[in-house]
Amino acid sequence: MRKKMLAGIVAGVLMAGAGFGMLSGQAQAAEAAAQNGRPDKPPVMRGHQGGERHMKRMNPDEAAKRLNKTFGVSEAEVKAAFKEKRDFRDIGQAAMLAKVSGKSFSDVLAMKTKDKRWPEISKELGVKPEQIRAQMNELSAERIAQRGNIDKEQALSLLNKGYRAMDVSVAAKLAKLSNKDIQTVLDMKKINNRWGDVAEQLGVDRSALRPNMGKGQFPGHGPQGGSPDGGEMPEEK
């Protein structure tokens, strides 16, 4: 599961550079559909499939710039990895783990072999799950803030309390549209209602949320209405 989360956040970072948004590491329409009434299916994996297809078509220069900006890895080393035909998922995970562990990108990527998986590498590097989560929250908060409904510090505080990126993003939008405090809006989301229902209670038209979800879909079956696996939020156009 840690590998899936890591791949998802990296996919979100790369796609954000090409105009696709986080959280997300983070996770497009398929993930929103999974969150809307089918929580038994891992939404992270469904969202990542579409993200991976886009990443495969991404210009290596764009990916290198995005990874450099986000994780501080050398653009030249990332480009060299692409040139060596290294798997784009491995490049992204190596960039993430390099930042968290303090090791060089090249050294971390070199640890990945056909017989060694990323969970083993994370353990060898001494990277703990909470470090991965902290990094994911940081990236998620940055992407949520880019939408202009909440600042990064407040988004990060809510994520660190356990709220999912999807819920923070949608609640921030509803709070802004209804002139309510975001915590008040989050408290209105229960296990047995959806964000569309909350919008109506606040006097906000459900259609205001549709840029976040697929047509006619509103997430709403996790503890705060989001993904049970903490998946990323879909794109807001």
Side-chain angles (χ1 to χ4, degrees):
M1 181 56 68
R2 199 188 318 174
K3 178 180 178 181
K4 295 175 185 177
M5 291 192 298
L6 189 55
I9 200 73
V10 172
V13 168
L14 291 178
M15 288 189 290
F20 280 84
M22 187 152 194
L23 218 329
S24 214
Q26 149 333 325
Q28 298 286 331
E31 181 176 331
Q35 292 170 331
N36 186 35
R38 297 193 296 278
D40 55 315
K41 297 182 180 181
V44 175
M45 289 303 293
R46 297 190 69 187
H48 294 167
Q49 290 170 358
E52 288 175 0
R53 286 195 294 271
H54 177 77
M55 288 167 66
K56 288 177 179 178
R57 298 193 299 269
M58 180 172 285
N59 184 318
D61 290 342
E62 294 177 5
K65 288 179 181 178
R66 174 57 57 170
L67 290 174
N68 170 263
K69 180 180 179 181
T70 304
F71 301 121
V73 298
S74 164
E75 287 188 43
E77 290 182 349
V78 172
K79 291 178 185 178
F82 275 109
K83 193 171 183 179
E84 293 169 3
K85 307 298 183 183
R86 294 300 301 259
D87 189 291
F88 62 92
R89 292 163 297 189
D90 290 337
I91 292 173
Q93 294 202 37
M96 167 75 90
L97 288 176
K99 179 172 183 176
V100 174
S101 68
K103 305 292 184 182
S104 75
F105 168 76
S106 295
D107 287 347
V108 175
L109 185 58
M111 296 173 72
K112 179 67 177 73
T113 65
K114 182 179 180 180
D115 299 321
K116 182 175 288 187
R117 303 174 66 182
W118 284 111
E120 298 175 64
I121 295 171
S122 296
K123 187 174 181 179
E124 286 186 23
L125 291 170
V127 174
K128 299 178 180 179
E130 53 266 31
Q131 291 177 284
I132 296 294
R133 173 58 61 187
Q135 185 63 54
M136 290 175 67
N137 284 351
E138 181 76 20
L139 295 177
S140 293
E142 183 175 340
R143 288 174 61 190
I144 293 171
Q146 288 173 357
R147 297 183 175 184
N149 298 317
I150 187 174
D151 61 47
K152 179 181 175 181
E153 290 71 22
Q154 189 176 16
L156 182 59
S157 175
L158 290 168
L159 292 170
N160 286 339
K161 290 178 181 178
Y163 288 100
R164 290 158 171 77
M166 164 75 81
D167 299 307
V168 174
S169 178
V170 177
K173 185 171 187 177
L174 287 176
K176 186 174 183 179
L177 291 173
S178 64
N179 197 31
K180 299 287 186 181
D181 177 80
I182 188 171
Q183 188 62 59
T184 298
V185 176
L186 284 167
D187 290 343
M188 294 174 70
K189 179 68 194 71
K190 309 298 182 183
I191 191 73
N192 60 349
N193 68 356
R194 300 184 180 186
W195 279 116
D197 302 323
V198 174
E200 289 189 344
Q201 291 176 45
L202 291 168
V204 176
D205 195 298
R206 281 173 173 251
S207 63
L209 297 182
R210 284 180 184 154
N212 285 62
M213 271 62 85
K215 185 177 180 181
Q217 296 175 340
F218 298 93
H221 291 286
Q224 288 89 37
S227 159
D229 284 326
E232 292 299 315
M233 58 200 166
E235 171 94 1
E236 178 177 336
K237 305 293 186 185

